[in-house]
Amino acid sequence: MFRMQKTVTALFKHERLEVTRNTADEARGYAERLISEAIRYGDKHNATMELADFWLLEKQLVHKLFKVLVPRFENYNISYTRCLPLTPTYPCTKTDQFPKSLLELRGNPYPPVMPKDPHNGSLLHNILLEEARKEMRQTQYLETAKSIGKEDKSAWVVNEKAEDSGSSSEDERKKD
Amino acid sequence: MSNLVLFQLRKSTVALSAISKLNKTHIEIQFNFKYLVGQLSQRLQSTSSQVVVRENTKREQKRVVPPNYRHIYPEFLPDPNMEFRNSVREKLERTDMINRRSRIEIPEFYVGSILAVTSSDEHAVGKTTKFVGICIKREFCGLRANFTLRNVVDNLGVEIKYEMYDPRLQRVQVLRLEKRLDSELLYLRDADPEFSTFPFDMDAEFLNEGAPVPVNPLKVNLRPPPWYARWERLQPKGAIIPELRGRRKEKSEKWLEKFSEPWEKYDLMKQYRKTIPEEEQDSIYSDIYSELHQMEIASKKLKRKKAFVKPKKTG
């Protein structure tokens, strides 16, 4: 339980943590429940104050919970935290055998970890790339259009030869 | 549109012309600048945000179901353990439970209330037996929900486990509706018999409509050990644990030091995993609310009719 207390305290303090996957998963539950209780009962409720006092080892974070995090998360209809898996950092030491994950509170001031949909067609680079692709296709169409008129007649000859060879093989089979 | 975006768009025309030069074609791309700007602005406005902010600041949703239903009808909520959840079975059970409740009145009661149960018994004289006792335990949910009544009959402690939706039950009457300080009163087995004796001809005690269920702060005296179970480990609020001596004391202290969890009341995830979440509770009870409400109204009418004694003519 002390480990969970430390993790929840650190999460509220730094708003972004790198912890082992299972710790993050469990601490996430406790953090969200704590925030939900604070939102539901508010500042003056004795039981909630005791709860916050137990979970948050640094007492300034109790103030942060009720003054900052509650107004931030009051109207949320999704989770208050985000948990993303992390890849191991090389060189692999013994501790890197335990996969880590990133645990953060939503609405934190840091730049986002996951980029917002890079394939979004409204983004400028995608508009430019789409136009470039269209241009490429146009050039290709023009080339094929040009080549329609100028067909290689030798191509037909090759086909006739193939047909002859095919019929000869059939005759051979009939003989057998 | 911001200046930065316009600048970037103008840069793009330069970039595209560069590409065309690389391909050695003289086709100019029909780059409708204004159309593009319009498209961009439209798309940026339409992208929905992840977090939906409600209009009201607090969750001011109208609640159809009264909040105390989970205390009055706790057996309608399924076992929170995911291994035992089955939505189809739960729905079928709920309909069966309501059907049974429409035939017999199963009242609101808690552990610590005194009940009188009349059930059909093939070996009895009038084919029915009545048993009065204090409810010491309530187990399970759905159609398997049961409660145990304890009484001392002829200096012998008797406990009978009744299933709430057993068709053999004819009448379940609450003689005294109250709660105790603990959720289970199994320690009455090792308490003085006076705390478990209740007369069979006990009258029903009247409670005002709408009044909260009283909590009896009684502290039961336990007999000296050995006991049925190590009650000192449970640390019950409604029982006075006598002074332990010698090896028994050492062992109990050791166990408490090792296994007692003073943080249990702060363990939020343990609570969460033992309960059905609020939204699900609401959906379950809203399914059956109309039927239960009608039954409540009907039972209240019956009670008033019974209470009213028509005045007789004298003289």
Side-chain angles (χ1 to χ4, degrees):
Chain A
M1 199 49 64
F2 183 52
R3 191 156 167 229
M4 281 297 117
Q5 282 175 301
K6 280 194 283 184
T7 317
V8 170
T9 312
L11 177 66
F12 279 29
K13 184 173 179 181
H14 302 112
E15 299 201 25
R16 184 178 279 178
L17 293 182
E18 277 184 31
V19 272
T20 44
R21 206 155 283 176
N22 292 330
T23 316
D25 198 33
E26 194 65 22
R28 202 180 173 193
Y30 285 109
E32 296 214 5
R33 281 283 285 119
L34 183 61
I35 294 167
S36 310
E37 295 278 297
I39 289 169
R40 184 193 279 259
Y41 295 111
D43 216 356
K44 309 293 173 191
H45 197 236
N46 265 334
T48 318
M49 292 298 280
E50 268 183 45
L51 199 68
D53 185 49
F54 171 80
W55 280 105
L56 302 170
L57 303 169
E58 290 175 31
K59 300 310 152 193
Q60 81 238 31
L61 295 171
V62 176
H63 295 286
K64 184 180 175 181
L65 168 66
F66 288 107
K67 299 273 163 60
V68 175
L69 298 179
V70 163
R72 194 202 286 184
F73 295 125
E74 237 172 6
N75 296 321
Y76 267 48
N77 61 352
I78 51 169
S79 59
Y80 313 130
T81 56
R82 189 185 285 121
C83 190
L84 298 164
L86 292 171
T87 49
T89 49
Y90 293 96
C92 278
T93 54
K94 265 191 179 176
T95 50
D96 291 327
Q97 287 168 17
F98 304 103
K100 288 203 169 181
S101 58
L102 188 102
L103 180 63
E104 62 172 8
L105 294 175
R106 283 190 205 260
N108 62 60
Y110 308 117
V113 180
M114 297 296 284
K116 275 192 172 180
D117 190 19
H119 300 293
N120 184 2
S122 319
L123 293 172
L124 184 63
H125 67 271
N126 284 327
I127 293 167
L128 299 176
L129 285 167
E130 189 58 39
E131 291 297 322
R133 279 186 215 114
K134 281 182 192 168
E135 198 204 328
M136 277 297 290
R137 263 179 264 141
Q138 271 197 309
T139 55
Q140 280 167 6
Y141 290 150
L142 280 170
E143 279 175 21
T144 50
K146 279 179 189 170
S147 65
I148 284 166
K150 304 167 189 174
E151 267 174 74
D152 218 5
K153 286 199 177 168
S154 59
W156 294 108
V157 176
V158 169
N159 286 343
E160 280 172 358
K161 276 186 185 171
E163 278 173 14
D164 285 341
S165 63
S167 59
S168 63
S169 65
E170 280 175 3
D171 291 335
E172 280 172 10
R173 273 186 220 142
K174 277 177 189 172
K175 283 175 189 174
D176 293 338
Chain B
M1 292 290 279
S2 68
N3 287 331
L4 184 66
V5 179
L6 289 169
F7 170 66
Q8 283 174 338
L9 282 168
R10 289 213 176 83
K11 262 173 78 179
S12 67
T13 53
V14 172
L16 277 169
S17 60
I19 292 164
S20 68
K21 279 175 188 169
L22 284 169
N23 290 338
K24 293 174 186 174
T25 55
H26 299 287
I27 299 145
E28 279 175 17
I29 299 136
Q30 299 283 331
F31 205 112
N32 193 333
F33 187 75
K34 280 183 187 171
Y35 167 76
L36 191 73
V37 166
Q39 278 287 297
L40 251 181
S41 56
Q42 242 182 24
R43 283 192 189 184
L44 284 168
Q45 274 163 23
S46 69
T47 49
S48 54
S49 56
Q50 262 185 323
V51 173
V52 175
V53 178
R54 292 193 202 85
E55 278 167 12
N56 302 329
T57 46
K58 295 256 163 118
R59 288 175 202 156
E60 288 162 18
Q61 285 170 340
K62 270 189 183 175
R63 263 201 153 152
V64 178
V65 178
N68 63 350
Y69 258 38
R70 64 194 183 102
H71 301 297
I72 303 171
Y73 307 107
E75 72 277 3
F76 280 94
L77 295 177
D79 196 326
N81 192 345
M82 284 310 289
E83 287 178 37
F84 306 140
R85 294 296 302 274
N86 184 335
S87 54
V88 177
R89 189 197 67 225
E90 284 158 29
K91 279 203 169 174
L92 294 171
E93 282 201 323
R94 259 177 263 149
T95 49
D96 282 346
M97 283 152 80
I98 293 211
N99 284 333
R100 178 64 189 157
R101 273 178 182 264
S102 64
R103 306 283 288 168
I104 180 181
E105 202 221 316
I106 299 168
E108 171 197 1
F109 67 96
Y110 305 90
V111 167
S113 316
I114 299 161
L115 305 184
V117 173
T118 320
S119 60
S120 49
D121 185 1
E122 55 197 320
H123 306 296
V125 176
K127 301 289 180 189
T128 56
T129 42
K130 184 182 171 187
F131 188 75
V132 171
I134 184 168
C135 178
I136 58 169
K137 190 161 76 162
R138 279 186 82 161
E139 265 189 320
F140 306 139
C141 55
L143 289 168
R144 297 187 340 264
N146 61 32
F147 58 94
T148 315
L149 298 182
R150 180 183 167 79
N151 207 337
V152 175
V153 180
D154 293 341
N155 289 326
L156 178 72
V158 177
E159 285 178 16
I160 302 182
K161 190 178 272 193
Y162 289 106
E163 294 205 6
M164 278 171 83
Y165 295 93
D166 190 349
R168 288 170 294 174
L169 292 191
Q170 292 182 357
R171 192 184 180 202
V172 181
Q173 189 191 13
V174 174
L175 300 174
R176 190 191 299 168
L177 179 65
E178 65 178 12
K179 292 185 198 178
R180 289 285 191 98
L181 295 171
D182 301 304
S183 59
E184 279 184 358
L185 302 174
L186 297 172
Y187 53 74
L188 290 174
R189 291 167 186 169
D190 289 317
D192 292 332
E194 65 199 31
F195 294 104
S196 309
T197 39
F198 303 96
F200 269 59
D201 54 358
M202 195 171 153
D203 289 323
E205 283 167 32
F206 181 72
L207 200 69
N208 283 321
E209 255 184 62
V213 177
V215 179
N216 191 349
L218 180 67
K219 293 223 168 193
V220 164
N221 291 314
L222 294 181
R223 284 196 293 239
W227 292 323
Y228 162 77
R230 297 185 209 281
W231 304 120
E232 78 275 7
R233 290 185 182 182
L234 290 175
Q235 296 176 312
K237 292 169 199 166
I240 301 166
I241 309 276
E243 185 78 36
L244 301 171
R245 282 172 288 177
R247 201 147 167 268
R248 199 182 294 278
K249 186 179 181 182
E250 275 175 40
K251 281 188 109 177
S252 75
E253 281 174 1
K254 241 187 183 179
W255 190 94
L256 282 170
E257 207 185 288
K258 198 175 175 188
F259 293 106
S260 70
E261 293 177 352
W263 59 80
E264 202 179 344
K265 54 180 168 170
Y266 304 125
D267 197 338
L268 295 164
M269 286 314 285
K270 193 173 183 180
Q271 290 165 18
Y272 180 76
R273 282 164 186 144
K274 275 188 177 177
T275 52
I276 302 287
E278 200 184 358
E279 294 87 359
E280 211 177 330
Q281 280 187 24
D282 282 341
S283 74
I284 287 167
Y285 284 124
S286 56
D287 271 349
I288 48 173
Y289 171 68
S290 55
E291 288 105 314
L292 287 175
H293 192 59
Q294 274 171 18
M295 278 180 225
E296 279 172 19
I297 291 164
S299 72
K300 274 182 194 170
K301 276 187 186 172
L302 269 174
K303 278 182 191 169
R304 276 177 210 154
K305 271 188 184 175
K306 278 186 183 173
F308 177 69
V309 178
K310 216 172 176 183
K312 282 184 185 168
K313 261 187 183 177
T314 50

